[in-house]
Amino acid sequence: MPKVKTNSGAKKRFALTGSGKIKRKHAFKRHILTKKTKKQKLGLTHSAIVSSADTKNVKSLLCIR
């Protein structure tokens, strides 16, 4: 049987924490930042945890059980 390949787009976007949760970055922080408030931009800076509804899909892309 062939090896299962990790999705290369997913491995660049997600990271595992020590407790096994999946970290992600926020969207909307790339461009058109002049109209966003400082508070909004600061909030988007911090990483977030992938929701429980999406965890199964992301783990399958990363080939994690």
Side-chain angles (χ1 to χ4, degrees):
M1 233 171 102
K3 292 181 181 178
V4 179
K5 289 191 176 181
T6 301
N7 183 292
S8 58
K11 71 183 173 188
K12 294 169 193 171
R13 287 173 172 84
F14 301 106
L16 271 173
T17 63
S19 60
K21 295 176 183 172
I22 303 170
K23 279 196 312 186
R24 65 172 176 85
K25 291 186 177 179
H26 285 280
F28 308 110
K29 185 92 197 299
R30 293 286 177 200
H31 59 96
I32 316 174
L33 299 173
T34 51
K35 63 175 77 169
K36 293 172 186 146
T37 62
K38 287 181 184 178
K39 184 178 180 181
Q40 199 174 359
K41 289 184 278 191
L42 184 65
L44 294 172
T45 300
H46 308 300
S47 58
I49 301 295
V50 172
S51 70
S52 56
D54 298 323
T55 302
K56 186 180 174 185
N57 283 337
V58 174
K59 281 189 174 183
S60 70
L61 291 172
L62 295 173
C63 300
I64 302 169
R65 290 184 180 209

